[in-house]
Amino acid sequence: MRKLVLAASIALLTACSAPQQEQINFTPRAELSNSNIVNGSSFTLTSKDVRSAQYVALVDSGRSNIEPIHSKQNVRITLENALLEQFQSQGFRSSVNSENAIVVEVQELLVSVKHSVMENEMDARLVLEITAETPQGKLVKTYTGTAERTGALSASNDEIQLVLNDVSNLVLREVANDRELQSYMQERF
C-alpha cells in the first residue's frame, strides 16, 4: 500500500512539473456605437460554444508535429461580453427575465499556422451564429470572418494572437453594423 501511495505521489508531482501548453490572449474589442438606436429595450443574452475542440490555433511546423494553442480566456464568455457591450452601447439593456432573447453560438474559431524556418502562413476563421428571438418570431444570422497573413520566419505567438483578435474584431464590427439585425431588434424588442 505504501509503495502505491509513493508511486501515485511521484506520478502526480511529475505531471505538475510537466511543461504547460502555451496560451495566447484572446481580447476582441467591442465595436461601440456613438448613439442609441433604442432606449432601454431589454433582452436576455446567452451563448454556447459548439466547436469540436477548444484550442484557438493549430501550428504545423512541417515535421509531423502539429501543436494546438489554447486561449487564456474562455472564448464563449469573452465573445458574449464583447457583444453585450456592443448592444448596450446601442441602447439595449440586459435582463435575466426578458421575453426577448439573443443567443450567440460560436461555431468556429481557429488560426491555422503553417511555418518553416523561412516563412509562415496563417489562415484565421471565425463563424458566429446570432439568433434574435421574440414572442413574434426569430431572426437567425451567421457571421463569418476570415483573414490570411504571410510573413518571414516562424510565426510567433504574438503574431498568431494578432491575427486571432483581428478576425474577431472584424466579425464584431460586422454584427455592430448589421442594419437587418438592428432593425429587427429595434422594432420587436
Side-chain angles (χ1 to χ4, degrees), residues 133-147:
E133 193 166 0
T134 69
Q136 294 86 30
K138 68 180 175 179
L139 173 71
V140 180
K141 301 265 322 226
T142 302
Y143 301 90
T144 304
T146 59

Side-chain angles (χ1 to χ4, degrees), residues 11-142:
L12 185 61
L13 287 172
T14 304
C16 290
S17 66
Q20 298 294 312
Q21 283 190 335
E22 291 188 50
Q23 294 182 328
I24 57 178
N25 278 315
F26 178 56
T27 54
R29 202 173 44 252
E31 186 77 17
L32 302 179
S33 174
N34 294 331
S35 60
N36 291 352
I37 59 172
V38 296
N39 193 8
S41 296
S42 70
F43 68 95
T44 302
L45 180 64
T46 57
S47 61
K48 52 188 168 183
D49 189 345
V50 297
R51 297 177 298 147
S52 57
Q54 296 305 302
Y55 49 78
V56 293
L58 275 179
V59 180
D60 181 357
S61 58
R63 294 182 291 273
S64 299
N65 184 21
I66 298 176
E67 177 187 345
I69 298 177
H70 291 81
S71 167
K72 290 180 185 176
Q73 295 79 11
N74 181 304
V75 168
R76 178 189 63 80
I77 291 171
T78 303
L79 284 168
E80 180 182 311
N81 289 339
L83 286 164
L84 178 62
E85 196 176 340
Q86 279 185 200
F87 291 132
Q88 287 175 337
S89 79
Q90 295 173 341
F92 294 97
R93 187 175 48 83
S94 177
S95 169
V96 291
N97 59 356
S98 175
E99 61 182 13
N100 304 315
I102 294 179
V103 180
V104 178
E105 187 175 280
V106 183
Q107 295 180 342
E108 189 177 342
L109 177 61
L110 183 66
V111 179
S112 297
V113 183
K114 291 183 180 171
H115 69 173
S116 64
V117 177
M118 300 304 290
E119 66 178 356
N120 67 72
E121 292 178 16
M122 290 186 268
D123 292 314
R125 183 172 167 88
L126 169 61
V127 179
L128 275 186
E129 182 181 272
I130 295 182
T131 304
E133 193 166 0
T134 69
Q136 294 86 30
K138 68 180 175 179
L139 173 71
V140 180
K141 301 265 322 226
T142 302

Side-chain angles (χ1 to χ4, degrees), residues 123-189:
D123 292 314
R125 183 172 167 88
L126 169 61
V127 179
L128 275 186
E129 182 181 272
I130 295 182
T131 304
E133 193 166 0
T134 69
Q136 294 86 30
K138 68 180 175 179
L139 173 71
V140 180
K141 301 265 322 226
T142 302
Y143 301 90
T144 304
T146 59
E148 293 179 5
R149 182 174 175 190
T150 57
L153 307 175
S154 296
S156 70
N157 280 359
D158 287 342
E159 292 170 317
I160 296 169
Q161 178 177 299
L162 181 68
V163 171
L164 178 71
N165 289 320
D166 281 352
V167 77
S168 301
N169 293 339
L170 182 74
V171 170
L172 288 173
R173 189 174 309 120
E174 187 181 345
V175 172
N177 296 323
D178 184 344
R179 297 281 178 232
E180 184 181 13
L181 178 63
Q182 285 178 1
S183 296
Y184 188 87
M185 292 171 67
Q186 190 175 16
E187 292 166 11
R188 292 177 174 82
F189 279 21

